[in-house]
C-alpha cells in the first residue's frame, strides 16, 4: 500500500502517496482503526494531496474512517484536497458529512487540538 503512516504523540498522520485501489482503501480503513484502538490515539490526519480523484467509494471510506475513529475517541481531519478535486466532489453531490477539512498539516493539528480540548471540557 502506498500510504505512509506516522505517529506524532497521540495523533496518526496518514499520507496517501498515490491513487489507491479499492482493496487498499479498505486496508487503510482497517489499519487506521486498529492503530487508533491499540494506541488510544486522539486524532488522525489524512493527507489526500496525491489523489487526482476522490470518487464515491473513497469518500464513503473516508466517512467510515471518521465515524469509526470517533467511536474510538479520536477526531479526524482531511488535508491536501486539490481545488479541482473539491469542486468535483461537490458537483457529484457526494455526502461529505462528517468530514473535517484543513488546508495543511499545521492547521489540521491545531484543529485536532481544539477538538480534543473541547471534548475534554465537555467531559468526553
Amino acid at each position: 500500500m502506498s500510504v505512509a503512516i506516522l505517529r506524532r504523540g497521540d495523533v496518526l498522520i496518514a499520507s496517501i502517496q498515490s491513487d489507491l485501489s479499492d482493496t487498499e482503501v479498505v486496508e487503510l480503513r482497517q489499519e487506521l482503526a486498529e492503530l487508533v484502538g491499540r494506541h488510544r490515539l486522539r486524532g488522525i490526519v489524512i493527507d489526500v494531496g496525491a489523489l487526482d480523484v476522490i470518487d464515491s467509494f473513497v469518500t464513503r471510506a473516508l466517512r467510515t474512517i471518521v465515524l469509526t475513529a470517533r467511536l474510538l475517541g479520536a477526531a479526524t481531519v482531511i488535508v491536501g484536497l486539490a481545488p479541482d478535486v473539491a469542486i468535483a466532489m461537490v458537483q457529484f453531490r457526494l455526502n461529505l458529512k462528517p468530514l473535517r477539512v484543513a488546508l495543511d498539516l499545521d492547521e489540521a493539528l491545531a484543529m485536532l487540538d481544539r477538538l480534543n480540548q473541547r471534548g475534554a471540557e465537555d467531559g468526553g
Side-chain angles (χ1 to χ4, degrees):
M1 179 172 18
S2 55
V3 178
I5 299 176
L6 306 169
R7 184 172 166 193
R8 181 177 181 236
D10 61 355
V11 174
L12 277 183
I13 301 169
S15 179
I16 300 173
Q17 305 296 307
S18 64
D19 287 330
L20 301 175
S21 69
D22 290 353
T23 302
E24 290 172 319
V25 170
V26 171
E27 289 172 6
L28 174 62
R29 186 179 69 199
Q30 292 170 336
E31 184 173 1
L32 291 177
E34 180 183 322
L35 289 169
V36 167
R38 183 180 333 138
H39 298 291
R40 304 180 137 249
L41 301 170
R42 303 286 297 166
I44 303 172
V45 176
I46 302 173
D47 180 358
V48 297
L51 297 180
D52 294 327
V53 174
I54 297 180
D55 62 15
S56 61
F57 183 81
V58 172
T59 301
R60 281 192 311 272
L62 289 172
R63 289 184 72 242
T64 301
I65 291 168
V66 169
L67 294 171
T68 302
R70 182 183 294 165
L71 287 172
L72 295 170
T76 305
V77 179
I78 311 297
V79 298
L81 272 177
D84 54 335
V85 173
I87 290 168
M89 291 173 77
V90 171
Q91 287 177 337
F92 289 128
R93 295 189 172 130
L94 299 178
N95 184 353
L96 304 177
K97 290 181 183 179
L99 300 183
R100 288 187 182 94
V101 181
L103 291 175
D104 57 31
L105 180 59
D106 290 333
E107 184 180 324
L109 293 172
M111 186 183 295
L112 286 174
D113 285 343
R114 287 190 306 272
L115 290 168
N116 287 325
Q117 182 177 19
R118 189 178 319 139
E121 291 170 356
D122 293 340

